[in-house]
Amino acid sequence: QDLAWLVGEWIEESPDSVVHTVCRWHDNGNFLMQEFRVQIAGQIAMSGTMRIGWDAVRKQFKSWVFDSHGGHGEGIWIQSGDLWIVKSQGSTAAGETASATYLYRPIDDDTMGWSANDRVIDGVLQDPISEIIIKRRPPEPIE
């Protein structure tokens, strides 16, 4: 329930891309399943899934991500006040090691902030991604 605020349909639009994410309860409420799609110039550049669940051994949330290019990763979720910190590691489709720290910040019921720091691909530090504001997509009008 601590991550129930993620449930819903989310959209982030910038001049360069559109990221569409849908998060739902899965497996009788034991997991959150997130599906995402990144569009650039109207074409799907990447898609994927993320499953988030409780790790009873570690006593914390854990996530698994798989993207359409063949990359994958695991993340450990740590709560600090309203902020969720995700320490992630995995690999790209080309077999390069990858790690990052992602920050999820609920702003209000319909808005969250997301950023990425400490991004490393195959031993090379990447530029951070400054906070992006993501909005909940309102429901379609009922006719």
Side-chain angles (χ1 to χ4, degrees):
Q1 290 297 319
D2 290 345
L3 293 172
W5 62 272
L6 286 169
V7 173
E9 189 172 352
W10 299 86
I11 191 141
E12 185 274 320
E13 297 178 285
S14 73
D16 302 322
S17 65
V18 175
V19 180
H20 181 255
T21 304
V22 176
C23 185
R24 295 185 176 94
W25 289 108
H26 198 264
D27 294 333
N28 295 323
N30 289 316
F31 290 93
L32 288 173
M33 182 64 82
Q34 206 174 63
E35 296 178 354
F36 61 89
R37 182 178 68 239
V38 179
Q39 290 180 295
I40 298 174
Q43 301 294 316
I44 296 176
M46 182 192 321
S47 62
T49 61
M50 177 167 59
R51 181 180 288 250
I52 307 168
W54 181 253
D55 183 334
V57 173
R58 289 187 139 173
K59 306 264 187 275
Q60 61 192 149
F61 290 104
K62 187 172 184 178
S63 59
W64 299 265
V65 177
F66 299 91
D67 71 44
S68 59
H69 295 186
H72 60 87
E74 291 184 21
I76 299 298
W77 292 61
I78 304 158
Q79 187 175 17
S80 177
D82 287 341
L83 184 67
W84 283 92
I85 302 161
V86 182
K87 297 285 191 175
S88 178
Q89 56 186 356
S91 67
T92 67
E96 302 162 310
T97 60
S99 63
T101 300
Y102 301 107
L103 303 176
Y104 290 82
R105 184 175 67 92
I107 296 170
D108 61 37
D109 288 346
D110 296 320
T111 312
M112 77 167 103
W114 178 90
S115 60
N117 299 297
D118 307 322
R119 298 173 52 230
V120 178
I121 297 177
D122 225 19
V124 179
L125 185 63
Q126 308 294 305
D127 289 335
I129 299 173
S130 298
E131 186 175 63
I132 296 167
I133 302 300
I134 303 168
K135 301 295 276 181
R136 186 182 303 275
R137 177 174 258 177
E140 296 292 326
I142 298 173
E143 294 183 21

